[in-house]
């Protein structure tokens, strides 16, 4: 599930170094998988917004899926995708064209 996190430079009295430190600390602690980032101006302040996936949640889903696969013997979801199948060559049609003289 995607989540949203916003940081406003107003909480740092406009200090970009302090804002960077707060964002870096959040990133190190949470290790989010960032899907989208934007920044905008709000008055005299900068707002930095992230849309992310919580990696802890993602790891739990993968572990649960792996356990379900192990228990049921089912194939992982990757095998559920509809893949384009190659068409077999008919015996009456040569795989390579005959040589031109």
């Amino acid at each position: 599930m995607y989540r949203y996190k916003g940081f406003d430079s107003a909480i740092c009295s406009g200090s970009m170094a302090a804002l960077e430190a707060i964002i870096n600390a959040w990133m190190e602690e949470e290790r989010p998988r960032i899907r989208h980032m934007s920044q905008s101006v709000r008055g005299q302040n900068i707002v930095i917004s992230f849309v992310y996936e919580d990696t802890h949640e993602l790891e739990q889903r993968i572990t649960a899926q792996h356990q379900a696969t192990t228990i049921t013997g089912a194939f992982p979801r990757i095998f559920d995708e509809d893949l384009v199948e190659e068409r077999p060559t008919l015996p009456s049609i040569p795989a390579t064209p005959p040589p031109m003289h």
Side-chain angles (χ1 to χ4, degrees):
M1 174 183 347
Y2 291 139
R3 299 194 182 273
Y4 169 84
K5 182 78 171 179
F7 297 92
D8 190 336
S9 66
I11 61 172
C12 309
S13 303
S15 168
M16 287 306 295
L19 182 61
E20 287 175 8
I22 290 170
I23 293 172
N24 287 336
W26 170 70
M27 292 175 108
E28 285 180 29
E29 182 180 329
E30 295 296 322
R31 302 229 179 253
R33 179 179 272 178
I34 297 171
R35 294 299 184 192
H36 181 74
M37 187 280 285
S38 68
Q39 67 183 39
S40 56
V41 177
R42 189 173 70 101
Q44 297 294 322
N45 299 307
I46 295 174
V47 176
I48 301 177
S49 304
F50 296 94
V51 174
Y52 68 98
E53 280 183 276
D54 185 354
T55 54
H56 300 299
E57 252 181 45
L58 188 60
E59 288 169 358
Q60 289 173 352
R61 275 189 290 164
I62 290 170
T63 301
Q65 181 181 7
H66 178 69
Q67 289 172 348
T69 302
T70 303
I71 292 169
T72 64
F75 290 105
R77 182 176 170 88
I78 190 169
F79 293 108
D80 293 339
E81 301 294 326
D82 292 331
L83 300 175
V84 176
E85 293 183 18
E86 292 184 32
R87 293 184 179 155
T89 304
L90 296 175
S92 61
I93 301 174
T96 58
M100 301 292 286
H101 293 277

